[in-house]
Amino acid sequence: MDKSPRPSPANSRLAQQPTSYYAASICEVTRVAEILAVGEALERALALLQGGDVVAIPTETVYGLAGDATNGIGVARIFEAKGRPRFNPLIAHVADMAMAERIAVFDPLSRKLAQAFWPGPLTLVLPQRPGNGIHPLVTAGLDTIALRMPRGFGGDLIAKLGRPLAAPSANSSGKISATTAQAVMADLGDSIRLVVDGGATPVGLESTIVKAEGERLRLLRPGGVAAEDIEAVVGAELLRGHKAGIEAPGMLASHYAPGAAVRLNAGNVEEGEALLAFGDRRAEGWRRAVASLNLSVSGDLREAASNLFAYMQELDRSGARTIAVETIPFDGLGEAINDRLSRAAAPRDNIQPTP
């Protein structure tokens, strides 16, 4: 690993010609991550993105590993840093509706959702507009694209760049999503150049993903916008389940996984296990846990969602071979929490899309 001093924004290393990597258009650059606060990071992040590099940025959901969605080198570096399977598509993030309209074709139902929830933690899967300039790696060969409009620093950065950003969660593929800059550093600090520190992310779960199918909407991934809130806007119940194959990001069966095994709906705690608790009633034998954290003592699902990934990471560091998870209700954001937990508990060699 490179032990050279951390580069400064003025460092000339960005202008160096790096050695060839695994394809003619992709180059290997020595990366030594630095952390900059959001108020100091915009120009530095912009320079890296314009140079075909990647930047870890805060969003309202989780931290994202961002690259220019129109630049094949930048997009390839996202896959490289994450170790992400090439058949798993990425979400493209936009600054405004004008940018979104240049990329995708909106049906009336999707437009209504964009007006209600953008900017925010909702991703829409839409038909691609021909000639939109999005690199094929972003969509994994699909004729649709997943679009989201983030708040805060991400939106400002995209507007300044003038192009959409592809930005999956800033963590190694299949591992726990990062909700703090420090978690990004611990995982990807040796693989990227810059982490923008915006503090802990307020939502703490990835975005909800939906797709219009005629006059109905299908929920492809529960997330930061509760299904009930979407149903209230469209006046109809969301369809559940999906076709065979991957239609959108985050649909791998095994995903968001810690190093420890995960045991769900635990009514008891076995010797040597860590406990991920919820609410004010404990699983039998909870005092045996080598470590214990409560997602929300009061049973608040929004608080639980914001704590989920950080607490899983902390329990994973306890050395326990298994994390026992108490039962969490499915209403509201509980659906998204249980989705992430079920993927974390899936067999680790299962990289097929969920049925």
Side-chain angles (χ1 to χ4, degrees), residues 1-12:
M1 185 176 70
D2 184 7
K3 299 295 186 180
S4 59
R6 178 177 297 169
S8 67
N11 196 302
S12 62

Side-chain angles (χ1 to χ4, degrees), residues 41-77:
L42 187 62
E43 293 303 322
R44 171 68 168 149
L46 187 63
L48 288 169
L49 292 169
Q50 290 172 331
D53 216 322
V54 296
V55 177
I57 63 171
T59 76
E60 64 270 63
T61 56
V62 297
Y63 274 73
L65 185 61
D68 181 349
T70 69
N71 185 324
I73 295 174
V75 177
R77 282 178 173 152

Side-chain angles (χ1 to χ4, degrees), residues 20-24 26-27 76-77 79-80 86:
S20 177
Y21 192 58
Y22 57 81
I26 304 172
C27 297
R77 282 178 173 152
F79 286 99
E80 174 192 355
R86 295 302 197 270

Side-chain angles (χ1 to χ4, degrees), residues 29 40 49 57 91 96 120 124 130 171 189 226 253 260 275 321 328:
V29 179
E40 307 170 339
L49 292 169
I57 63 171
I91 295 173
D96 50 39
L124 300 172
N171 54 274
L275 175 65
R321 296 183 61 181
I328 296 169

